[in-house]
Amino acid sequence: MKNRTGSLFIAGVLVVAMLSGCAGGEPIPAEDEATGDTGSLEASQQEASAEKSNDISQKKIGICIYNFDDNFMTLYRNELVNYLVDQGFSEENITVENSELSQEKQNKQIQDMIDGGIDVLIINAVNTSESATITDMAVGAGIPLVYINREPDAEEEQRWVDNGWEVTYVGCDARQSGTLQGDIITDIGLEKIDKNGDSIVQYIMIEGDPENIDAQYRTQFSVKALEDKGWSVKCLFDEVGNWDMETAKALSKEALEKYPETEVVFCNNDAMALGALMSIKAAGRTVGDDIYLVGVDALTEALDDVIDGSITGTVFNDYFDQSHRAAAATINYMKGAGNDHYIGCDYVKVTKENAQEILDRIK
Ligand code: GAL
């Protein structure tokens, strides 16, 4: 505790020093700082150290990804590293760890990176409910922290605000993705969706990791979009597919056998929608004809399926925008410019009309 307070104090002094050295968000050039009575040797030392602190090619970034097997986070991770390199970071100064679904492992990776000397941490937490531990490690060591993709809860985010810590979250609001999934279905119209004509939409839901706010909100808000249009809905089956294609394939097989009256399959992401599609085909059902299927992410394979009609629609989870914003937040912290504690972005509804356009953007 003593140590932590000590480093917090040092971190605080550094932040104040960096901020007071800024005019309009930009650091004062070394030359300006070195004017006045300062001796020339001292001035050139100051210049050298100021240059060093602004030279991002020398800066070390530590990144932890919750699970390298996740398709979407693989696209995100690759884009993040490429973009950081484009911005001037050197690849050998960027450490990327696979936390392999273990928060314990991730905490150790973070501690090791802190001990080894790191300038900024970019963390995709395994269990967001344990984010406070990660934040305390980073803040205690005086290291700015950028959370990505898996949003910590409101109470945790409030601590960053209340303490003025250099901690931020970069991501989209998952409620929007759920709503857009529901909109894709309501845009088609109840007459088409309601195959058995009972004026109730029978659906199945395949959820991502239940601890993840993206999974919780997509599950809730996709259905809410139907209800908000005055549609009646009936949930036949709701199971956890953990963002995984094979798991979703097995779950949808089971659901479609038990509930042939299924009219809509909601999947919290595209990997699971691709799995569900295999079982839909195997059950002799046809998307767009006697069943409707939606996902989230806009993976290339899913976009191809949206274009040929075998997936009704998806929602673009813009990993370009998110990773670029995460990189910008990292650079801001390094320059002492600071960041808001929440950096948002927008999801985009994808149907047959714009799927090719999104595909062209990501290819
Ligand atoms: C979601 C994404 C999922 C999965 C998850 C991991 O935003 O839609 O496919 O990658 O993040 O937290």
Side-chain angles (χ1 to χ4, degrees):
M1 190 64 201
K2 225 175 176 184
N3 271 344
R4 202 184 136 214
T5 317
S7 3
L8 266 178
F9 174 69
I10 294 166
V13 169
L14 281 174
V15 171
V16 170
M18 285 193 285
L19 287 177
S20 58
C22 292
E26 286 302 317
I28 291 178
E31 305 86 70
D32 294 356
E33 274 182 355
T35 52
D37 296 334
T38 322
S40 61
L41 178 62
E42 214 181 321
S44 60
Q45 279 171 344
Q46 279 182 4
E47 260 175 50
S49 87
E51 260 169 37
K52 190 167 174 251
S53 66
N54 281 326
D55 179 4
I56 55 178
S57 70
Q58 302 300 310
K59 300 287 186 180
K60 295 199 165 79
I61 304 185
I63 303 172
C64 288
I65 301 296
Y66 90 104
N67 176 21
F68 275 14
D69 289 340
D70 182 299
N71 312 36
F72 173 73
M73 282 315 298
T74 301
L75 296 169
Y76 190 127
R77 165 168 56 99
N78 293 339
E79 181 58 27
L80 177 61
V81 172
N82 290 340
Y83 189 73
L84 285 167
V85 171
D86 281 353
Q87 298 306 296
F89 292 92
S90 48
E91 203 157 356
E92 64 265 25
N93 286 337
I94 305 172
T95 307
V96 190
E97 298 284 4
N98 180 2
S99 303
E100 291 176 14
L101 293 168
S102 160
Q103 190 57 58
E104 205 186 331
K105 182 170 192 145
Q106 186 171 77
N107 291 352
K108 188 169 180 313
Q109 291 166 337
I110 294 171
Q111 195 55 57
D112 286 350
M113 291 194 288
I114 290 174
D115 294 345
I118 209 90
D119 293 294
V120 177
L121 283 162
I122 302 179
I123 302 298
N124 175 218
V126 178
N127 300 122
T128 44
S129 57
E130 291 176 46
S131 301
T133 309
I134 300 173
T135 304
D136 289 346
M137 279 195 279
V139 169
I143 297 181
L145 170 61
V146 178
Y147 281 105
I148 54 166
N149 168 261
R150 307 189 125 204
E151 187 176 359
D153 62 26
E155 196 187 324
E156 170 59 10
E157 291 185 352
Q158 194 56 44
R159 288 201 316 143
W160 317 339
V161 177
D162 293 345
N163 293 289
W165 288 336
E166 288 193 306
V167 184
T168 187
Y169 170 72
V170 179
C172 309
D173 182 344
R175 282 170 284 209
Q176 186 188 33
S177 52
T179 304
L180 294 175
Q181 282 191 298
D183 289 350
I184 292 170
I185 297 300
T186 58
D187 287 349
I188 293 168
L190 186 58
E191 261 172 44
K192 277 196 176 164
I193 302 286
D194 181 24
K195 287 293 154 195
N196 61 5
D198 65 354
S199 300
I200 301 169
V201 175
Q202 279 86 10
Y203 72 91
I204 66 174
M205 179 71 67
I206 311 289
E207 296 192 29
D209 162 10
E211 211 244 16
N212 187 313
I213 196 83
D214 286 1
Q216 293 165 17
Y217 277 155
R218 286 174 193 168
T219 299
Q220 197 185 329
F221 281 79
S222 52
V223 175
K224 185 174 178 298
L226 272 58
E227 291 170 330
D228 286 350
K229 283 271 173 354
W231 291 20
S232 299
V233 296
K234 183 174 180 198
C235 179
L236 302 170
F237 182 97
D238 184 341
E239 291 290 338
V240 171
N242 269 322
W243 307 120
D244 177 61
M245 186 171 81
E246 288 302 327
T247 314
K249 181 182 169 193
L251 287 172
S252 329
K253 179 176 185 289
E254 182 191 333
L256 292 169
E257 276 166 13
K258 273 195 196 154
Y259 306 105
E261 68 270 37
T262 301
E263 291 161 334
V264 176
V265 181
F266 286 109
C267 293
N268 284 172
N269 77 347
D270 279 352
M272 298 193 295
L274 290 164
L277 177 59
M278 293 180 213
S279 297
I280 288 172
K281 284 180 175 165
R285 310 279 302 265
T286 309
V287 171
D289 179 17
D290 58 23
I291 196 162
Y292 295 85
L293 170 65
V294 283
V296 175
D297 281 340
L299 299 181
T300 313
E301 305 87 322
L303 287 170
D304 286 337
D305 287 328
V306 173
I307 290 166
D308 80 16
S310 45
I311 290 183
T312 312
T314 183
V315 178
F316 183 31
N317 193 357
D318 191 342
Y319 56 90
F320 288 98
D321 192 26
Q322 291 171 66
S323 58
H324 296 185
R325 283 173 193 259
T330 302
I331 295 169
N332 280 344
Y333 278 140
M334 283 175 179
K335 290 188 168 170
N339 285 296
D340 288 339
H341 295 286
Y342 182 93
I343 300 171
C345 64
D346 276 319
Y347 284 103
V348 180
K349 180 165 76 172
V350 186
T351 59
K352 220 172 186 160
E353 277 84 68
N354 63 342
Q356 186 62 51
E357 190 192 307
I358 302 289
L359 195 57
D360 294 342
R361 250 166 87 180
I362 64 174
K363 265 191 168 165

